[in-house]
């Protein structure tokens, strides 16, 4: 799994309460003092969503990877948090999870699940269960993915199609 630095996420208001400059920002100041950049891995429960392929898979030219997460491994990581994203206005936080698991309600269609790291590490090992190629994913890219994943046991491959094809 890849974890993106919070400031590289596509919503400029992501993690606003942590990293917005104001006097009562104790958590953000603590991270800064420790030289830690929070990193986010955003997943979805909607692997067949047309909008998700349009927005995050390069207009259907990319792919969707299904992961097998072992939550026992995640719970052993003391510098990681995870959970379902809550969708509402970002004018206040009600609990610590809101710091990284709160998004504006406009993003609700994503049905997002997040993993957040507080250790500057960008990757976390994880089982790949399947790969679904977008409708416009070219033959060359498919061949590269097949070559890179040929030694992964039990992986399934799928393709998006228009209805009736």
């Amino acid at each position: 799994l890849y974890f993106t630095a919070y400031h590289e996420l596509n919503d400029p208001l992501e993690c606003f309460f942590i990293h917005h400059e104001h006097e009562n920002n104790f958590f953000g100041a603590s991270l800064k003092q420790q030289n830690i950049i929070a990193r986010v891995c955003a997943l979805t429960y909607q692997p067949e969503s047309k909008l998700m392929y349009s927005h995050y898979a390069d207009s259907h030219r990319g792919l969707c990877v299904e992961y097998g997460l072992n939550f026992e491994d995640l719970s052993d990581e003391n510098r990681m948090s995870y959970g379902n994203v809550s969708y509402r206005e970002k004018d206040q936080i009600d609990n610590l999870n809101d710091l990284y698991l709160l998004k504006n309600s406009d993003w609700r269609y994503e049905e997002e699940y997040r993993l957040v790291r507080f250790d500057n590490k960008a990757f976390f090992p994880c089982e790949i269960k399947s790969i679904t190629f977008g409708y416009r994913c070219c033959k060359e890219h498919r061949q590269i993915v097949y070559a890179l994943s040929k030694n992964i046991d039990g992986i399934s491959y799928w393709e998006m199609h228009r209805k009736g094809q």
Side-chain angles (χ1 to χ4, degrees):
L1 297 173
Y2 176 70
F3 288 74
T4 303
Y6 78 89
H7 60 272
E8 294 175 1
L9 298 171
N10 60 355
D11 180 356
L13 299 179
E14 287 289 348
C15 311
F16 176 81
F17 292 107
I18 296 293
H19 306 287
H20 182 69
E21 297 295 329
H22 61 81
E23 61 194 52
N24 295 322
N25 187 351
F26 301 113
F27 191 76
S30 174
L31 290 177
K32 190 173 186 174
Q33 183 180 21
Q34 297 175 63
N35 200 27
I36 293 174
I37 296 174
R39 300 176 83 69
V40 177
C41 177
L43 306 170
T44 184
Y45 290 104
Q46 297 300 321
E48 297 177 11
S49 167
K50 295 172 190 165
L51 283 175
M52 297 302 286
Y53 276 87
S54 295
H55 295 164
Y56 299 107
D58 193 21
S59 299
H60 287 262
R61 288 186 281 278
L63 51 90
C64 174
V65 179
E66 177 188 10
Y67 297 101
L69 290 173
N70 183 338
F71 285 92
E72 288 180 16
D73 290 344
L74 291 178
S75 64
D76 289 342
E77 294 282 322
N78 62 359
R79 305 283 263 169
M80 189 181 301
S81 180
Y82 51 89
N84 289 313
V85 168
S86 297
Y87 299 96
R88 63 179 190 277
E89 299 311 309
K90 295 183 177 192
D91 55 355
Q92 69 179 36
I93 60 170
D94 296 325
N95 58 59
L96 288 175
N97 277 339
D98 286 348
L99 297 174
Y100 287 95
L101 301 178
L102 176 64
K103 290 183 81 166
N104 186 284
S105 56
D106 292 341
W107 298 91
R108 185 178 309 279
Y109 72 91
E110 293 183 335
E111 293 187 44
E112 188 176 327
Y113 188 89
R114 280 194 171 175
L115 307 164
V116 185
R117 295 193 81 138
F118 300 99
D119 58 9
N120 292 337
K121 295 178 183 174
F123 293 96
F124 184 80
C126 191
E127 172 192 13
I128 296 175
K129 295 179 78 172
S130 71
I131 296 173
T132 303
F133 296 102
Y135 178 70
R136 295 179 176 154
C137 188
C138 69
K139 180 180 176 182
E140 292 80 14
H141 290 168
R142 291 172 196 240
Q143 289 173 336
I144 291 169
V145 170
Y146 289 135
L148 291 172
S149 61
K150 69 182 176 185
N151 294 325
I152 299 174
D153 291 331
I155 192 168
S156 300
Y157 299 94
W158 304 94
E159 297 179 3
M160 295 293 284
H161 292 279
R162 286 188 0 216
K163 277 189 173 181
Q165 275 192 314

